[in-house]
Amino acid sequence: MFEKKEKPTRIALIQGSLNPHSNTALLIDAVATMLEKRGIGHETLDLRHVDMDFCDGRPLEKYNEATRNAYALLERGDAYIIGMPVYSYSISGALKNLIDITAPAMKKKVAGILCNSGGTRSYLASVDLMKILSFEADVVTVQPVIHTDRDTFKERTLFDDHVPELMTEMIDGIIKFLR
């Protein structure tokens, strides 16, 4: 069913917010630093810097180069850590658009979720992403799903000391799944 690997060779980090001052991007940066310290290969796809076409069902080769490059990056990934901003108690349109186009590249892999919202009541929005990943791409998500909100950050810095512990637990879960 799912192909097991001896060692994760590459984790694709997906930053799904278009906000220029995104706290979700700060979370992805923190995970990237953790992966670097552990010697785990990774690439980051930051949707703020990708000229993504809008999904309209055309074949992949008909999308622009940036969209095809995003697909290729996700295809190379053995696993994913997805930074999900919460908009209206669900995932961002930009992230959903990316998944609609790239789901075949993500097929039967594993993902961790960083869910970032404006307040504490939006933590269940990550369930929408879990369902989308499961049904569109047979992606399994590991626990814990990490939820942060505006109170987790202070002056554009991660303020909650518990979040890095949860990130380590999530990364360990991904590595265990891949082995």
Side-chain angles (χ1 to χ4, degrees), residues 4-9 11 34-35 38-40 79 81 110 142 167-179:
K4 303 283 185 179
K5 302 217 181 245
E6 278 300 309
K7 180 182 172 194
T9 56
I11 295 178
M34 294 175 98
L35 294 173
R38 292 175 72 167
I40 299 171
I81 295 176
V110 62
V142 298
M167 289 175 173
T168 297
E169 191 177 333
M170 180 187 59
I171 292 166
D172 289 345
I174 290 170
I175 291 168
K176 183 178 178 181
F177 188 90
L178 291 172
R179 291 194 174 142

Short mmCIF file of all heavy atoms in Angstrom, two decimals, residues 4-9 11 34-35 38-40 79 81 110 142 167-179:
data_model
loop_
_atom_site.label_atom_id
_atom_site.label_comp_id
_atom_site.label_asym_id
_atom_site.label_seq_id
_atom_site.Cartn_x
_atom_site.Cartn_y
_atom_site.Cartn_z
N LYS A 4 7.58 1.94 1.95
CA LYS A 4 8.41 2.30 3.09
C LYS A 4 9.82 2.57 2.62
O LYS A 4 10.33 1.93 1.72
CB LYS A 4 8.43 1.16 4.12
CG LYS A 4 7.06 0.77 4.61
CD LYS A 4 6.55 1.76 5.61
CE LYS A 4 5.22 1.27 6.16
NZ LYS A 4 4.67 2.12 7.11
N LYS A 5 10.50 3.51 3.23
CA LYS A 5 11.87 3.86 2.88
C LYS A 5 12.74 3.65 4.11
O LYS A 5 12.30 3.80 5.23
CB LYS A 5 11.95 5.32 2.42
CG LYS A 5 11.06 5.60 1.24
CD LYS A 5 11.72 6.57 0.34
CE LYS A 5 10.81 6.87 -0.82
NZ LYS A 5 11.30 6.43 -2.07
N GLU A 6 13.99 3.31 3.89
CA GLU A 6 14.94 3.15 4.99
C GLU A 6 15.17 4.48 5.71
O GLU A 6 15.26 4.53 6.90
CB GLU A 6 16.28 2.63 4.47
CG GLU A 6 16.30 1.13 4.27
CD GLU A 6 16.04 0.38 5.56
OE1 GLU A 6 16.70 0.66 6.59
OE2 GLU A 6 15.16 -0.48 5.55
N LYS A 7 15.31 5.54 4.96
CA LYS A 7 15.61 6.86 5.52
C LYS A 7 14.94 7.91 4.65
O LYS A 7 14.99 7.84 3.43
CB LYS A 7 17.12 7.06 5.52
CG LYS A 7 17.57 8.37 6.08
CD LYS A 7 19.06 8.51 6.00
CE LYS A 7 19.45 9.91 6.39
NZ LYS A 7 20.80 10.23 6.03
N PRO A 8 14.30 8.90 5.27
CA PRO A 8 13.70 9.95 4.44
C PRO A 8 14.79 10.74 3.72
O PRO A 8 15.76 11.17 4.34
CB PRO A 8 12.94 10.82 5.42
CG PRO A 8 13.58 10.56 6.74
CD PRO A 8 14.13 9.15 6.68
N THR A 9 14.67 10.87 2.43
CA THR A 9 15.67 11.60 1.68
C THR A 9 15.27 13.04 1.47
O THR A 9 16.12 13.90 1.34
CB THR A 9 15.92 10.94 0.31
OG1 THR A 9 14.68 10.84 -0.38
CG2 THR A 9 16.51 9.56 0.48
N ILE A 11 12.02 15.92 2.53
CA ILE A 11 10.70 16.34 2.98
C ILE A 11 10.39 17.66 2.31
O ILE A 11 11.17 18.61 2.37
CB ILE A 11 10.65 16.48 4.52
CG1 ILE A 11 10.87 15.10 5.17
CG2 ILE A 11 9.32 17.08 4.96
CD1 ILE A 11 10.89 15.11 6.67
N MET A 34 14.94 22.87 12.04
CA MET A 34 15.01 21.59 12.76
C MET A 34 15.49 20.47 11.84
O MET A 34 16.29 19.62 12.23
CB MET A 34 13.65 21.24 13.35
CG MET A 34 13.20 22.18 14.43
SD MET A 34 11.54 21.80 14.98
CE MET A 34 11.95 20.85 16.43
N LEU A 35 14.97 20.45 10.60
CA LEU A 35 15.38 19.42 9.65
C LEU A 35 16.86 19.55 9.30
O LEU A 35 17.57 18.54 9.21
CB LEU A 35 14.51 19.49 8.39
CG LEU A 35 13.03 19.14 8.57
CD1 LEU A 35 12.27 19.41 7.28
CD2 LEU A 35 12.84 17.71 9.03
N ARG A 38 19.05 18.14 11.92
CA ARG A 38 19.00 16.67 11.96
C ARG A 38 19.55 16.04 10.69
O ARG A 38 19.57 14.82 10.56
CB ARG A 38 17.55 16.22 12.19
CG ARG A 38 17.07 16.60 13.57
CD ARG A 38 15.64 16.28 13.79
NE ARG A 38 15.43 14.84 13.93
CZ ARG A 38 14.30 14.31 14.36
NH1 ARG A 38 13.30 15.09 14.73
NH2 ARG A 38 14.17 13.01 14.44
N GLY A 39 19.97 16.86 9.74
CA GLY A 39 20.53 16.34 8.50
C GLY A 39 19.50 15.72 7.57
O GLY A 39 19.84 14.86 6.75
N ILE A 40 18.27 16.16 7.66
CA ILE A 40 17.20 15.64 6.81
C ILE A 40 17.01 16.59 5.63
O ILE A 40 16.77 17.79 5.81
CB ILE A 40 15.88 15.50 7.60
CG1 ILE A 40 16.07 14.51 8.76
CG2 ILE A 40 14.75 15.05 6.68
CD1 ILE A 40 14.90 14.45 9.72
N ALA A 79 7.91 12.88 1.82
CA ALA A 79 6.89 13.24 2.78
C ALA A 79 6.70 14.75 2.71
O ALA A 79 7.46 15.45 2.03
CB ALA A 79 7.32 12.83 4.18
N ILE A 81 5.48 18.42 5.02
CA ILE A 81 5.02 19.17 6.19
C ILE A 81 4.33 20.40 5.61
O ILE A 81 4.95 21.18 4.88
CB ILE A 81 6.16 19.54 7.14
CG1 ILE A 81 6.77 18.25 7.73
CG2 ILE A 81 5.65 20.46 8.25
CD1 ILE A 81 7.97 18.46 8.62
N VAL A 110 3.11 10.62 3.05
CA VAL A 110 2.74 10.97 4.42
C VAL A 110 2.98 12.47 4.64
O VAL A 110 3.87 13.05 4.01
CB VAL A 110 3.53 10.12 5.44
CG1 VAL A 110 5.02 10.38 5.32
CG2 VAL A 110 3.05 10.34 6.86
N VAL A 142 0.22 12.38 10.00
CA VAL A 142 0.71 11.92 11.30
C VAL A 142 0.25 12.89 12.39
O VAL A 142 -0.10 14.03 12.11
CB VAL A 142 2.26 11.79 11.32
CG1 VAL A 142 2.73 10.76 10.32
CG2 VAL A 142 2.93 13.12 11.10
N MET A 167 6.73 19.95 17.17
CA MET A 167 7.33 19.81 15.84
C MET A 167 8.27 18.62 15.80
O MET A 167 8.26 17.85 14.83
CB MET A 167 8.07 21.09 15.45
CG MET A 167 7.20 22.26 15.14
SD MET A 167 8.23 23.73 14.84
CE MET A 167 7.00 24.89 14.30
N THR A 168 9.07 18.45 16.83
CA THR A 168 9.98 17.30 16.91
C THR A 168 9.19 16.00 16.90
O THR A 168 9.54 15.05 16.19
CB THR A 168 10.85 17.39 18.18
OG1 THR A 168 11.65 18.57 18.10
CG2 THR A 168 11.74 16.17 18.34
N GLU A 169 8.11 15.96 17.66
CA GLU A 169 7.26 14.77 17.70
C GLU A 169 6.66 14.48 16.32
O GLU A 169 6.60 13.32 15.89
CB GLU A 169 6.17 14.99 18.75
CG GLU A 169 5.39 13.75 19.09
CD GLU A 169 4.36 14.01 20.20
OE1 GLU A 169 4.57 14.91 21.03
OE2 GLU A 169 3.34 13.30 20.20
N MET A 170 6.23 15.52 15.62
CA MET A 170 5.65 15.34 14.29
C MET A 170 6.72 14.82 13.31
O MET A 170 6.47 13.89 12.55
CB MET A 170 5.07 16.66 13.77
CG MET A 170 4.46 16.55 12.38
SD MET A 170 3.96 18.15 11.70
CE MET A 170 5.48 19.05 11.71
N ILE A 171 7.90 15.42 13.33
CA ILE A 171 8.99 14.98 12.45
C ILE A 171 9.34 13.52 12.75
O ILE A 171 9.51 12.71 11.83
CB ILE A 171 10.22 15.90 12.59
CG1 ILE A 171 9.91 17.29 12.03
CG2 ILE A 171 11.44 15.29 11.87
CD1 ILE A 171 10.93 18.35 12.42
N ASP A 172 9.42 13.16 14.03
CA ASP A 172 9.70 11.78 14.41
C ASP A 172 8.64 10.83 13.86
O ASP A 172 8.94 9.73 13.41
CB ASP A 172 9.79 11.64 15.93
CG ASP A 172 11.04 12.28 16.52
OD1 ASP A 172 11.98 12.60 15.76
OD2 ASP A 172 11.06 12.48 17.76
N GLY A 173 7.38 11.26 13.91
CA GLY A 173 6.29 10.44 13.38
C GLY A 173 6.42 10.22 11.88
O GLY A 173 6.17 9.12 11.38
N ILE A 174 6.83 11.25 11.15
CA ILE A 174 7.03 11.12 9.70
C ILE A 174 8.17 10.15 9.42
O ILE A 174 8.06 9.26 8.59
CB ILE A 174 7.29 12.51 9.07
CG1 ILE A 174 6.02 13.35 9.09
CG2 ILE A 174 7.81 12.35 7.63
CD1 ILE A 174 6.22 14.80 8.71
N ILE A 175 9.28 10.31 10.14
CA ILE A 175 10.44 9.45 9.92
C ILE A 175 10.09 7.99 10.25
O ILE A 175 10.42 7.08 9.50
CB ILE A 175 11.64 9.94 10.76
CG1 ILE A 175 12.13 11.27 10.19
CG2 ILE A 175 12.76 8.90 10.78
CD1 ILE A 175 13.11 11.99 11.06
N LYS A 176 9.38 7.79 11.33
CA LYS A 176 8.96 6.44 11.70
C LYS A 176 8.08 5.83 10.61
O LYS A 176 8.23 4.66 10.26
CB LYS A 176 8.20 6.47 13.04
CG LYS A 176 7.79 5.13 13.54
CD LYS A 176 7.11 5.26 14.88
CE LYS A 176 6.65 3.89 15.37
NZ LYS A 176 5.95 3.98 16.66
N PHE A 177 7.18 6.61 10.08
CA PHE A 177 6.29 6.11 9.02
C PHE A 177 7.09 5.72 7.78
O PHE A 177 6.81 4.72 7.15
CB PHE A 177 5.25 7.18 8.65
CG PHE A 177 4.21 6.66 7.72
CD1 PHE A 177 3.05 6.07 8.23
CD2 PHE A 177 4.37 6.73 6.36
CE1 PHE A 177 2.08 5.58 7.37
CE2 PHE A 177 3.41 6.24 5.50
CZ PHE A 177 2.26 5.66 6.01
N LEU A 178 8.09 6.51 7.44
CA LEU A 178 8.88 6.25 6.23
C LEU A 178 9.77 5.01 6.37
O LEU A 178 10.12 4.40 5.37
CB LEU A 178 9.73 7.47 5.86
CG LEU A 178 8.95 8.67 5.37
CD1 LEU A 178 9.88 9.86 5.22
CD2 LEU A 178 8.22 8.37 4.07
N ARG A 179 10.15 4.68 7.57
CA ARG A 179 11.00 3.51 7.78
C ARG A 179 10.16 2.28 7.73
O ARG A 179 10.43 1.24 7.42
CB ARG A 179 11.73 3.61 9.10
CG ARG A 179 12.76 4.72 9.03
CD ARG A 179 13.73 4.64 10.16
NE ARG A 179 14.75 5.65 9.91
CZ ARG A 179 15.29 6.37 10.83
NH1 ARG A 179 14.98 6.20 12.08
NH2 ARG A 179 16.21 7.27 10.53
#
